Amino acid sequence: MSIGRMFRHLLQHHWRARQVFPQSVLDRIEQAIKQSETTHSGQVRFVVEGALDGRPLFRNQHARERALDVFSHLRIWDTAHNNGVLIYLLLADRDVEIIADRGIDAKVGAAGWETICRAMEAEFGSGEFERGVIDGIAAVSRELARHFPPAGAHPNELPDKPVVM
């Protein structure tokens, strides 16, 4: 692990996530998720983690590996149509990862998710965190709507509320 990454994670920690994503922004992100889920039968979750600490940091865990842990912990894989999607932001690294359940992942693929991640990261590079997340939710939702359009009433299987770790 580089010394720079270690210090970035130790110094930015959780306060940075709350600074960039105050409650008002989290509320707008939640509304964007709720609205997006009216256009498809998938499930979208957004998680922001300010920085890694403890074992994940000292094991030099990268954002993709951490996102897989979060995907599993939040049981995003446990949807009826295998179409849950996690948008995960590791703020200290400004790294976005999208982890998708097998039903939607087989249709979009790694390259499709990577395109959305890089677009979000470009927004973050300009300091546009809220817009980047909302645009990312919209892009994920377009893919879900294309492959899993709404079919009558469908239950909200996962919470829409963003998670700040």
Side-chain angles (χ1 to χ4, degrees), residues 64 68 71 79 81-86 97-114 116 140 143-144 146-148:
R64 180 104 186 136
L68 286 165
F71 183 85
T79 61
H81 300 290
N82 300 314
N83 58 2
V85 178
L86 168 67
E97 295 292 337
I98 294 177
I99 307 296
D101 203 349
R102 65 187 176 276
I104 185 64
D105 192 53
K107 298 184 183 300
V108 177
W113 300 127
E114 190 68 21
I116 296 169
V140 165
E143 293 295 337
L144 283 163
R146 185 160 56 123
H147 300 292
F148 289 92

Side-chain angles (χ1 to χ4, degrees), residues 34-149:
K34 282 180 196 279
Q35 190 285 322
S36 80
E37 288 182 353
T38 66
T39 67
H40 54 76
S41 61
Q43 298 292 302
V44 178
R45 296 291 321 256
F46 172 69
V47 174
V48 58
E49 189 162 16
L52 299 177
D53 58 9
R55 182 178 293 174
L57 178 60
F58 293 108
R59 279 190 15 228
N60 197 28
Q61 188 174 42
H62 292 278
R64 180 104 186 136
E65 186 181 349
R66 182 66 173 165
L68 286 165
D69 289 347
V70 171
F71 183 85
S72 177
H73 177 75
L74 295 178
R75 299 178 60 102
I76 297 169
W77 51 266
D78 195 19
T79 61
H81 300 290
N82 300 314
N83 58 2
V85 178
L86 168 67
I87 302 171
Y88 172 83
L89 168 60
L90 182 53
L91 195 56
D93 291 344
R94 289 200 179 174
D95 191 352
V96 177
E97 295 292 337
I98 294 177
I99 307 296
D101 203 349
R102 65 187 176 276
I104 185 64
D105 192 53
K107 298 184 183 300
V108 177
W113 300 127
E114 190 68 21
T115 299
I116 296 169
C117 290
R118 298 305 74 88
M120 292 176 70
E121 289 169 356
E123 297 270 8
F124 300 158
S126 302
E128 297 291 337
F129 290 94
E130 179 180 354
R131 188 171 79 205
V133 171
I134 290 175
D135 288 352
I137 291 166
V140 165
S141 293
R142 282 190 296 275
E143 293 295 337
L144 283 163
R146 185 160 56 123
H147 300 292
F148 289 92

